[in-house]
Amino acid sequence: MPVHFTLYSRSWCHLCEDMLAALEKLRTPEHPFTVEVIDVDADPALVARFDELVPVLFADLDQPELCHYFLDEAAVTAVLRAS
């Protein structure tokens, strides 16, 4: 079963676009994953939680974030290898 990532983002954020692009480069046949991009501006509760931290990437919403602002390739790769 592929890993599912959640990326909290916003539409006008170049760092968000950069993180998504960097994440997509890590997708391989050996390490498939899905990614859901959630626009924080669509929900006031998400704005309150993540506002200036976006982009924020989670592999498991019950666990701490993997990274914010820039992709932590080592953290993402560790999650992919553990799956």
Side-chain angles (χ1 to χ4, degrees):
M1 182 163 202
V3 173
H4 178 76
F5 292 105
T6 303
L7 177 62
Y8 290 95
S9 180
R10 55 176 31 116
S11 60
W12 48 267
C13 170
H14 73 87
L15 289 177
C16 301
E17 293 168 5
D18 292 348
M19 184 179 285
L20 181 58
L23 178 62
E24 291 290 352
K25 287 181 182 179
L26 298 179
R27 187 189 316 262
T28 66
E30 297 81 25
H31 296 108
F33 60 84
T34 60
V35 60
E36 177 182 13
V37 179
I38 298 176
D39 185 351
V40 298
D41 293 322
D43 182 339
L46 293 177
V47 171
R49 182 174 175 191
F50 296 117
D51 191 27
E52 295 299 319
L53 288 177
V54 295
V56 183
L57 183 67
F58 288 85
D60 183 340
L61 295 178
D62 293 331
Q63 298 294 319
E65 69 185 51
L66 288 176
C67 52
H68 65 267
Y69 299 139
F70 303 99
L71 186 73
D72 182 339
E73 189 173 324
V76 171
T77 300
V79 168
L80 292 171
R81 287 185 179 152
S83 67

